[in-house]
Amino acid sequence: MTYELPGTPGAEPGTRAPAHPSHRLRWNKVPEVTAYFWVIKVLCTTVGETAADLLDEKAGLGLTGVSVLMSALLAVVLVVQFRTTAYRAGVYWPAVALISVVGTLISDNLTDHLGVPLETTTVVFAVLLVVVFVVWYRRERTLSIHSVDTTSREAYYWLAVLVTFALGTAGGDLVSERLDLGYWPAAALFALAIAAVATAHFAWGLDAVWSFWIAYVLTRPLGASIGDYLSQPTGDGGLGLGTVVTSVLFLAVILALVVHLAVTRKDVAEPHA
C-alpha cells in the first residue's frame, strides 16, 4: 500500500496535525509507506520468528535469556533512533527487526512459560493496542505516521509497533492452530486478508490510518508463516533450510534493501515546518 495517511479527522487530505507546542518540530521519523516498506516489514517479521527460534533452541539461551538479550539490544537501538532528528533507514529498520523479535518473545513467554491461552493473549493484546491508539490520539490528535515528528509521537508509535508484533504473533498462532493450517495455506490466508484490507481502502474508502495498522498487524503472521515454511523440517511441511540459513538469507536481503534506501532516499518524506 502506498498512500497518504490523514492527520486530524476532518482536515484536508495531506494536511498534518500540529505538533504539541512544547516540542520542536523535526523531520518525520517514519519512512514513506511504499512497496519497499511492506517488503522489508515482512522480511523483518520473518527474521523475528526465525531468530527467536534460533537463539532459543540453537544457542541454548532459553526464552528468558533470549528475551533479556533482545530487549537490551532493542533498548540501545531505540535510544539511537530517538536521538536522530529525522528518519534514517540504517537505524529505523534494525529497530523494527529487533522489536519484531521482542514482540514475538513476549507472546511466546506468556503462552509457553506462563501457560496463558492464545485466546486470552490475543484479546489482551488487541485491547492494549486500542488503548495505545486512544491515548495517542487524545494526546496528539492524530494517529498519522506522517506526523511522527516529536518525541511524544515517536514513543506512541514504537509502543504501538511493539504491541502489533505481539498481537500478530498471538493472533496468527491462534488462527493457524485452530484451523490446523499448513505453512503455505496460512501464508495464503493472511496474504488474502491483507489484499482485502488494501481493496477496502483503495476501492471503498476504508480509513487510511486503520487500513495501515490492520495491514501492519497482519504482516506479522504472514512473515512468520513464510519463515516457518522455509526453516522447519520437511517432515513437518517445511523446506528444511533451518533457522540459521533462513535468518541469514532474510537478513542479507534486508541489509541490501536498507542500503539501497539509504543511498537513494526513495522512502524519505519531505520535511515540514
Side-chain angles (χ1 to χ4, degrees):
M1 295 179 199
T2 304
Y3 44 72
E4 183 74 17
L5 297 183
T8 305
E12 291 297 321
T15 60
R16 296 179 175 88
H20 193 277
S22 66
H23 296 284
R24 179 174 60 87
L25 280 173
R26 303 175 296 179
W27 286 35
N28 191 40
K29 300 291 291 294
V30 178
E32 289 289 347
V33 184
T34 64
Y36 288 108
F37 181 95
W38 292 114
V39 170
I40 300 177
K41 167 60 166 65
V42 172
L43 293 175
C44 287
T45 296
T46 304
V47 169
E49 177 75 7
T50 57
D53 292 342
L54 171 63
L55 294 173
D56 181 16
E57 299 171 4
K58 305 295 184 183
L61 296 178
L63 276 177
T64 301
V66 175
S67 300
V68 173
L69 174 61
M70 291 295 101
S71 297
L73 290 175
L74 174 61
V76 172
V77 174
L78 283 180
V79 168
V80 177
Q81 167 67 21
F82 273 86
R83 289 178 66 86
T84 62
T85 57
Y87 162 69
R88 298 287 183 269
V91 179
Y92 175 88
W93 287 112
V96 174
L98 286 169
I99 211 168
S100 72
V101 178
V102 173
T104 298
L105 291 169
I106 290 174
S107 179
D108 288 347
N109 271 292
L110 289 173
T111 302
D112 299 339
H113 273 185
L114 301 180
V116 181
L118 286 171
E119 293 87 349
T120 302
T121 55
T122 300
V123 171
V124 169
F125 288 135
V127 172
L128 181 58
L129 184 59
V130 171
V131 171
V132 172
F133 285 146
V134 169
V135 176
W136 182 358
Y137 184 78
R138 287 177 64 86
R139 177 67 176 80
E140 303 293 339
R141 310 310 297 175
T142 179
L143 298 177
S144 171
I145 66 165
H146 290 289
S147 298
V148 182
D149 50 13
T150 69
T151 301
S152 174
R153 291 177 180 178
E154 189 173 10
Y156 287 123
Y157 172 79
W158 286 111
L159 179 58
V161 169
L162 176 62
V163 178
T164 62
F165 275 109
L167 173 59
T169 301
D173 290 346
L174 176 62
V175 171
S176 296
E177 289 186 11
R178 292 296 176 269
L179 297 180
D180 194 23
L181 298 173
Y183 300 127
W184 270 124
L189 174 65
F190 294 120
L192 287 173
I194 294 171
V197 174
T199 300
H201 168 66
F202 290 113
W204 303 322
L206 178 64
D207 181 75
V209 171
W210 296 116
S211 299
F212 172 84
W213 285 110
I214 293 171
Y216 204 92
V217 171
L218 290 172
T219 53
R220 197 282 164 199
L222 171 63
S225 298
I226 296 173
D228 285 339
Y229 174 73
L230 294 173
S231 62
Q232 294 304 309
T234 55
D236 295 334
L239 283 182
L241 296 181
T243 53
V244 175
V245 174
T246 303
S247 298
V248 171
L249 175 63
F250 278 78
L251 282 172
V253 177
I254 292 171
L255 178 60
L257 290 174
V258 170
V259 170
H260 172 71
L261 291 176
V263 173
T264 62
R265 300 176 62 82
K266 289 184 176 180
D267 62 340
V268 176
E270 291 296 324
H272 60 281

